Structure formats: C-alpha cells, structure tokens
C-alpha cells in the first residue's frame, strides 16, 4: 500500500486542497476515536503524502495524536506514528520524524495512564456524594497552612508536589467527575467523614493519581505545541527541549524571576509595610471585634456556620483602596513579569472591573477564610478541630446572598455581575454548610 502511494501523483496545493486536508484531519480523529485502525492508517498516510509540511503542524495544533483524547488508546496511536515513520523520506524534515518518534514514546505510557484514570473513576464512583467537597477542604487547608513541596522526594511521595500541582490535579478530577455524573446542588453539601479518620489515604492516592495523569497530559501538550520531544530509553520516557539553549533560557528566566521577587519582597518588608490581613484578624479576635460572625451549629451536622456581615464597619475593610500587606506583595510578584511600572498593573480588566476590584473581591473571601481558621485554632482537641475543619471551611452560599454582599462593597450592579460571572462563582444553597444573613 505504501509503495503504491509513493507512485501516485500528488495534487498541487491550493486553498481548496487545504480545506479538504483540514476536513480529513477531523475525519482522522473520528476514525481514531471509533478505533477504526485501517481507516485511520489510510487517512493519515494520504494526508502526509499530499503535503507533510502542511499536515503535521495541523495535527499537532489540533492534538489529534494525543492518546488522552481517546481513552488513552496508546496502541492505536503508537501504530499510526510508526506507520508515518515508514514513509520517513516523504516527511521531508527531521523535526517531523522526531515528532512521530515522540508520539511513539508517549504511547508506551498510555496504558499506565489508563490504569491511573480507571483508579480515579473507581474512587469517584465509590464516594460520589462527598468527594468534591472533601477535595476542596483538603486543598483549602493546604493553601492556608502554607504547604511546602520537596522536589527531592520520589514521584510517589505526596510531599514532592506543590499546591498548584495538586490544584491542577483536582481540576482534572472535577472534569472527570462531570463526565461521569451530573454536578448538582448536593455535590458540595457533604464531606467524607471517613477521610478524617480511617480513609485519609484514599484522598492522598486520588490526588497523587490526578497529578500523575496531568503530567502525562502536559507532556502531550509539550510535544504538540512546544519545541520539546519525548525519548524512550528502556521503560523510561524523558521530556526535553529539542534545543538545549531553549531549556537553559527558560530555566535562567525562572531563576531571574525568583531572584527579582525575593529582592522586591525583602525591600518591601524593610520599608514599613502596611498591616497584613493575618495581623488584622489576630487583633480583631483579641478585641472581640467580630462578634456573631460564626456560630456552632449541631444539625444537620456539627459545624461552624457563617452569619454573613452587613455592618458598614465590616465592609469598609473590603471597600477601601488601601491594601493589606499580602496584597501588595502579590502586586510586587506580578510586577516581576511586567516590563513597565507597578502602576501599570492597576488597570481595566473589562469595561466594568479593574485589577483593584479583583483584589477587593479576593479580600472578602480571604477575610471569611481567616475567620473560620481563627475559630478553629482555638479548639484544643485535635480530633474535634479536624472534624470541624472538614465540615465548616468550605461552605455554600446562594447567588442572591453573594450578590447582596458584593453590592455592599462595590455599589455597582454591573461590576458585581461581571465579578461573579467571570469569577466562576455559580453558587447555590447547601445543607451542611449554608450561610445565613444577619446584621453584624
């Protein structure tokens, strides 16, 4: 078949041929998804023979040869890439052959990725009603406690990965969950009480599996969209830059960025910085300045319940333009990658929202989180504190209550609607973590 293909005349490239090629690439994806091996092989060979220079970049851009798109069907993807290499001379460039070699290398890992995916599905199915909120509590606690990763740890160790990597993994878990089950109001009402006691390792395993699966998907993205390659040595697959100078430049950029961030934060902390939100909350609790914001409820489950504030004294904290120390530090970190002035970072996000509004929006939720954590820190019994952390710290707020609270800060309906919609805050009433409105 390949010999006959080589003897047939190639059509001249034109706008019409380009449109047909793009259509055929979509068809190729359909053949792979339906596991039509013969049809997929013929389609790929025909595409490459017509114009490999035009086809390969579009295959990469569309991610057609990513095993993760087809249930991690590594065998079929690997076979297609090997077939493409059989007409290596017609690929007309070493980088195109290198791309298919990279696809083959990653296809060797696809069966392991499928096993990881199946493990995630199994855990989600066994804890369908409580897994999402439990994950949110675990991640929220990591952020608040300042989780520090140790990259020297082995890949199976939870300590190896950063909070950001765990968040990426959790995002993938939510995506898989949504593909399996409908996400309803009930999904964030309950936590897995067993995770607090006997089954904590299950969630550790779930998050580690998700992080490993995101690494595989990231590798697919790198070889498709960046000058990276995957090489197979024995059973080990290594992802590396095709040009070592690119890799050195990227690493040098990270080093310089980190150094600039350290320098700026150090100078800021030695220049009489403003009060931090943490210090503000500590002072407020010492003076009992936030009475009645939390109450300990017993039903339907024992938890701290937030009584949303409405007093002007409270909302002056969120509405004012003066920043807390953490906010200024965040602004300085953003400025490291901005080749202008700090003032350039205070800019319009859209016609209704500015970057200052985003800080105020985050300030409100940072305050609520801090109130919960300060109340929990006062509980001496560790078991009771852990239990209430799981049942209390991720609560569900109705859209109307959130809108009302934001109006007290911004006093602009258009601004508030834009913040809520673009911030992804699509919230509804819950059972175990409902929020009540009262005057503070």
């Amino acid at each position: 078949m390949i010999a006959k293909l080589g003897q047939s005349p190639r059509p001249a490239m034109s706008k019409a041929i380009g449109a047909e090629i793009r259509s055929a690439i979509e068809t190729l994806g359909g053949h792979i998804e339906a596991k039509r091996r013969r049809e997929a092989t013929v389609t790929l060979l025909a595409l490459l023979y017509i114009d490999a220079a035009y086809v390969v970049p579009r295959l990469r851009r569309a991610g057609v040869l990513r095993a993760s798109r087809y249930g991690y069907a590594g065998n079929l993807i690997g076979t297609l890439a090997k077939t493409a290499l059989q007409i290596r001379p017609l690929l007309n460039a070493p980088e195109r052959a290198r791309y298919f070699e990279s696809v083959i290398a990653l296809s060797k890992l696809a069966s392991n990725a499928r096993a990881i995916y199946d493990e995630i599905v199994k855990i989600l199915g066994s804890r369908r009603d409580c897994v999402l909120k439990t994950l949110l509590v675990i991640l929220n606690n990591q952020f608040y406690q300042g989780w520090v990763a140790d990259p020297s740890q082995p890949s199976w160790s939870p300590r190896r990965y950063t909070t950001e990597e765990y968040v990426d993994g959790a995002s993938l878990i939510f995506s898989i969950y949504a593909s399996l089950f409908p996400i309803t109001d009930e999904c964030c009402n309950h936590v897995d009480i067993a995770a607090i006691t006997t089954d904590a390792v299950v969630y550790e395993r779930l998050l580690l599996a998700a992080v490993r699966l995101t690494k595989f998907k990231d590798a697919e993205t790198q070889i498709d969209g960046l000058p990276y390659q995957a090489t197979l040595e024995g059973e080990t697959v290594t992802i590396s830059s095709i040009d070592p100078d690119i890799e050195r430049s990227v690493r040098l950029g990270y080093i310089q960025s980190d150094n600039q961030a350290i320098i700026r934060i150090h100078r800021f902390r030695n220049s009489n910085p403003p009060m931090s939100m943490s210090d503000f909350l500590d002072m407020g609790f010492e003076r009992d300045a936030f009475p009645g914001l939390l109450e300990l409820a017993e039903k339907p489950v024992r938890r701290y319940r937030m009584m949303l504030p409405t007093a002007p004294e409270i909302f002056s904290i969120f509405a004012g333009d003066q920043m807390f120390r953490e906010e200024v530090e965040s602004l300085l970190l953003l400025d490291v990658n901005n080749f202008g002035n700090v003032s350039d970072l205070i800019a319009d996000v859209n016609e209704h929202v500015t970057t200052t509004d985003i800080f105020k929006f985050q300030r409100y939720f940072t305050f609520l989180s801090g109130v919960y954590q300060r109340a929990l820190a006062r509980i001496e019994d560790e078991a009771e504190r852990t239990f209430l952390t799981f049942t209390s710290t991720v609560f569900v707020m109705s859209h109307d209550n959130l809108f009302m609270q934001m109006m007290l800060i911004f006093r602009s309906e258009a601004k508030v609607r834009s913040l809520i919609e673009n911030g992804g805050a699509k919230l509804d009433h819950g059972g175990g973590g409902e929020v009540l409105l009262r005057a503070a």
Side-chain angles (χ1 to χ4, degrees):
M1 181 176 62
I2 295 174
K4 291 182 178 179
L5 190 63
Q7 296 170 2
S8 60
R10 303 188 196 188
M13 194 63 187
S14 65
K15 188 175 292 186
I17 292 294
E20 289 186 17
I21 287 176
R22 291 191 293 273
S23 177
I25 288 174
E26 292 184 13
T27 301
L28 172 62
H31 289 324
I32 297 173
E33 187 169 6
K35 295 181 173 56
R36 294 189 286 265
R37 184 182 298 268
R38 179 180 175 82
E39 290 85 346
T41 301
V42 171
T43 303
L44 178 61
L45 286 174
L47 283 167
L48 293 175
Y49 182 75
I50 291 170
D51 194 332
Y54 185 86
V55 167
V56 173
R58 280 155 184 79
L59 288 175
R60 299 176 69 173
R61 190 181 308 158
V64 174
L65 297 183
R66 297 184 191 180
S68 61
R69 289 184 53 173
Y70 315 104
Y72 303 94
N75 288 336
L76 177 53
I77 297 294
T79 298
L80 290 172
K82 289 175 183 176
T83 302
L85 289 176
Q86 291 181 26
I87 56 169
R88 187 186 296 260
L90 300 180
L91 296 178
N92 294 327
E95 64 269 17
R96 292 174 202 136
R98 189 185 299 120
Y99 167 66
F100 287 111
E101 290 168 351
S102 295
V103 171
I104 293 170
L106 279 186
S107 72
K108 300 293 185 182
L109 300 179
S111 60
N112 290 337
R114 177 68 200 198
I116 293 172
Y117 174 85
D118 289 341
E119 180 181 14
I120 292 172
V121 169
K122 183 178 179 180
I123 294 174
L124 293 181
S126 66
R127 288 167 168 75
R128 175 177 173 180
D129 296 331
C130 55
V131 63
L132 297 188
K133 185 168 184 177
T134 305
L135 285 173
L136 289 173
V137 173
I138 292 170
L139 293 173
N140 182 72
N141 204 44
Q142 273 196 3
F143 271 108
Y144 187 83
Q145 300 298 335
W147 175 273
V148 178
D150 182 358
S152 67
Q153 294 293 313
S155 61
W156 45 262
S157 171
R159 296 300 316 184
R160 177 182 177 88
Y161 303 106
T162 65
T163 298
E164 289 75 19
E165 287 175 307
Y166 279 122
V167 168
D168 285 342
S171 179
L172 178 59
I173 292 170
F174 273 67
S175 177
I176 295 172
Y177 184 99
S179 71
L180 299 171
F181 315 113
I183 294 183
T184 67
D185 294 347
E186 299 298 317
C187 291
C188 282
N189 283 348
H190 306 288
V191 292
D192 192 347
I193 301 301
I196 306 171
T197 54
T198 58
D199 286 351
V201 69
V202 172
Y203 286 89
E204 180 179 288
R205 199 170 77 238
L206 176 62
L207 284 168
L208 280 173
V211 168
R212 292 174 65 195
L213 201 56
T214 59
K215 298 298 183 186
F216 177 81
K217 291 167 71 71
D218 287 346
E220 290 183 316
T221 302
Q222 284 180 306
I223 68 167
D224 269 341
L226 297 170
Y228 280 74
Q229 63 185 349
T231 54
L232 177 65
E233 294 183 9
E235 297 183 354
T236 301
V237 175
T238 303
I239 308 298
S240 61
S241 172
I242 293 171
D243 184 350
D245 288 339
I246 294 177
E247 186 70 22
R248 294 189 190 100
S249 296
V250 170
R251 294 192 180 193
L252 179 60
Y254 278 117
I255 292 170
Q256 290 177 332
S257 178
D258 289 343
N259 287 340
Q260 282 294 315
I262 292 170
I263 291 170
R264 294 179 192 214
I265 295 299
H266 179 73
R267 288 176 178 172
F268 170 68
R269 290 178 177 174
N270 290 331
S271 62
N272 193 26
M275 179 182 291
S276 69
M277 174 63 80
S278 179
D279 291 341
F280 174 79
L281 286 167
D282 287 340
M283 186 183 303
F285 269 81
E286 288 174 6
R287 299 177 181 178
D288 197 24
F290 314 120
L293 281 183
L294 289 180
E295 66 176 17
L296 191 60
E298 298 292 341
K299 295 181 179 180
V301 64
R302 183 173 173 80
R303 73 208 182 281
Y304 276 116
R305 180 170 58 187
M306 175 68 71
M307 313 293 280
L308 292 178
T310 58
E313 307 87 67
I314 295 290
F315 277 86
S316 63
I317 302 167
F318 313 127
D321 290 334
Q322 184 175 0
M323 288 186 167
F324 286 93
R325 182 187 303 172
E326 297 93 338
E327 295 168 347
V328 178
E329 289 179 353
S330 296
L331 198 62
L332 290 174
L333 292 176
L334 288 174
D335 186 48
V336 169
N337 295 316
N338 178 62
F339 299 99
N341 299 316
V342 175
S343 59
D344 295 335
L345 297 172
I346 308 299
D348 292 338
V349 176
N350 58 36
E351 60 179 325
H352 302 297
V353 177
T354 68
T355 50
T356 301
D357 296 327
I358 299 296
F359 277 111
K360 293 178 182 179
F361 191 64
Q362 293 175 332
R363 187 183 306 164
Y364 170 83
F365 292 103
T366 301
F367 174 82
L368 295 187
S369 175
V371 169
Y372 271 111
Q373 296 293 344
R374 293 309 188 283
L376 291 166
R378 293 185 170 189
I379 300 173
E380 295 182 0
D381 184 86
E382 183 177 353
E384 172 76 352
R385 185 170 63 251
T386 302
F387 179 85
L388 288 173
T389 296
F390 271 80
T391 60
S392 304
T393 52
V394 175
F395 61 91
V396 181
M397 184 189 301
S398 75
H399 181 279
D400 290 344
N401 277 348
L402 178 61
F403 185 85
M404 187 185 305
Q405 292 275 286
M406 293 300 104
M407 282 297 293
L408 291 170
I409 299 174
F410 298 105
R411 303 186 183 280
S412 165
E413 185 172 329
K415 188 186 294 289
V416 170
R417 291 194 186 282
S418 182
L419 281 166
I420 293 175
E421 291 170 5
N422 295 318
K426 188 180 176 92
L427 308 172
D428 210 332
H429 288 289
E434 78 271 22
V435 182
L436 303 182
L437 185 65
R438 69 182 292 274

mmCIF file of all heavy atoms in Angstrom, residues 46 170 392 420:
data_model
loop_
_atom_site.group_PDB
_atom_site.id
_atom_site.type_symbol
_atom_site.label_atom_id
_atom_site.label_comp_id
_atom_site.label_asym_id
_atom_site.label_seq_id
_atom_site.Cartn_x
_atom_site.Cartn_y
_atom_site.Cartn_z
ATOM 1 N N ALA A 46 -2.409 9.154 3.558
ATOM 2 C CA ALA A 46 -2.804 10.017 2.440
ATOM 3 C C ALA A 46 -2.525 11.479 2.753
ATOM 4 O O ALA A 46 -2.021 12.233 1.902
ATOM 5 C CB ALA A 46 -4.290 9.810 2.126
ATOM 6 N N ALA A 170 -6.718 18.372 40.961
ATOM 7 C CA ALA A 170 -8.117 18.450 41.393
ATOM 8 C C ALA A 170 -9.015 18.946 40.269
ATOM 9 O O ALA A 170 -10.158 18.494 40.117
ATOM 10 C CB ALA A 170 -8.235 19.368 42.603
ATOM 11 N N SER A 392 -16.775 22.580 58.080
ATOM 12 C CA SER A 392 -17.074 24.014 58.141
ATOM 13 C C SER A 392 -16.415 24.859 57.056
ATOM 14 O O SER A 392 -17.025 25.816 56.573
ATOM 15 C CB SER A 392 -16.644 24.574 59.506
ATOM 16 O OG SER A 392 -17.242 23.887 60.577
ATOM 17 N N ILE A 420 -18.880 38.245 39.539
ATOM 18 C CA ILE A 420 -19.418 36.930 39.865
ATOM 19 C C ILE A 420 -19.376 36.005 38.656
ATOM 20 O O ILE A 420 -18.926 34.862 38.738
ATOM 21 C CB ILE A 420 -20.852 37.042 40.408
ATOM 22 C CG1 ILE A 420 -20.850 37.760 41.768
ATOM 23 C CG2 ILE A 420 -21.494 35.661 40.544
ATOM 24 C CD1 ILE A 420 -22.231 38.022 42.324
#
